[in-house]
Amino acid sequence: MVGSVWAALGLSLTCISAISLVSPAWFQTTTFSFGVLTYCSWPQGDSWNQSCGTFQSLDDIPDFAWKVSAAMLLGGWLLLAFSAILLLSWALAPKGLCPWRGSGPVPGVQAAAAIATIMGLLVFPISLASPFAKEACVASSMYHGGQCQLGWGYVTAILNAVLASLLPVIRRPHVTEVQRRTIFFSSDTESIILVPETTK
């Protein structure tokens, strides 16, 4: 049961991360917004009539810091997706099939995904000094948005990175059977908690 919840949490964070990556609402003005992979423009006062574009490859991204950030964020997303697929397969597999389900490489992969995502989020505002961002945001510079405001896509990516960094911490405890008593081993303290035997 706990493994299923953990798998669902991992899958939902992967989906939220993908949405924030393709969102053009990381930095925005009254007529223009841009994110890591997409950008949109619209007439003054008519945000429903948007014209959007995407950066098809890293070569199309206008700044080196932006490219580094995109590569780190995409790498973090791929690691998060890989760990979510592993968690889902362990949650759906029969109990005897995966002896170390929920442990093993998954917490390390999740931690690496969180670190890559956080680093990408820290590098991305450096791209506000690029000519593309200066034209869109007027007087923007490194870590200063000029006339651009922070959008929901960047905030969602930050919250997702924080939650993804908590995934390895809240992993399920190890359980083993000794003398017909269930003993929980907490991965944080390695102390033993005895649980009284239940009658069947």
Side-chain angles (χ1 to χ4, degrees), residues 64-101:
F64 180 72
W66 200 328
K67 292 176 185 183
V68 170
S69 176
M72 293 175 97
L73 289 167
L74 285 171
W77 180 81
L78 287 172
L79 288 171
L80 193 59
F82 176 70
S83 71
I85 291 169
L86 276 178
L87 288 171
L88 183 64
S89 66
W90 285 339
L92 297 176
K95 283 195 183 229
L97 190 61
C98 299
W100 38 272
R101 72 170 69 209

Side-chain angles (χ1 to χ4, degrees), residues 183-194:
I183 300 177
F184 293 98
F185 290 96
S186 170
S187 61
D188 296 334
T189 60
E190 293 302 325
S191 62
I192 298 174
I193 304 167
L194 293 177

Side-chain angles (χ1 to χ4, degrees), residues 9 13 16 80 110 113-115 117-118 121 154-170:
L9 185 59
L13 288 177
I16 292 170
L80 193 59
Q110 290 171 336
I115 290 169
T117 303
I118 290 170
L121 290 170
Y154 193 64
V155 174
T156 304
I158 291 170
L159 291 174
N160 190 65
V162 169
L163 291 174
S165 66
L166 293 176
L167 270 180
V169 176
I170 60 172

Side-chain angles (χ1 to χ4, degrees), residues 10-84:
L11 281 172
S12 62
L13 288 177
T14 302
C15 293
I16 292 170
S17 179
I19 290 170
S20 66
L21 272 177
V22 297
S23 163
W26 282 42
F27 289 98
Q28 56 192 13
T29 64
T30 56
T31 60
F32 192 81
S33 67
F34 62 94
V36 177
L37 303 173
T38 56
Y39 55 91
C40 291
S41 63
W42 56 89
Q44 182 77 28
D46 187 16
S47 62
W48 291 101
N49 189 16
Q50 293 186 2
S51 173
C52 296
T54 60
F55 300 114
Q56 299 292 325
S57 69
L58 284 178
D59 292 334
D60 296 339
I61 295 177
D63 185 50
F64 180 72
W66 200 328
K67 292 176 185 183
V68 170
S69 176
M72 293 175 97
L73 289 167
L74 285 171
W77 180 81
L78 287 172
L79 288 171
L80 193 59
F82 176 70
S83 71

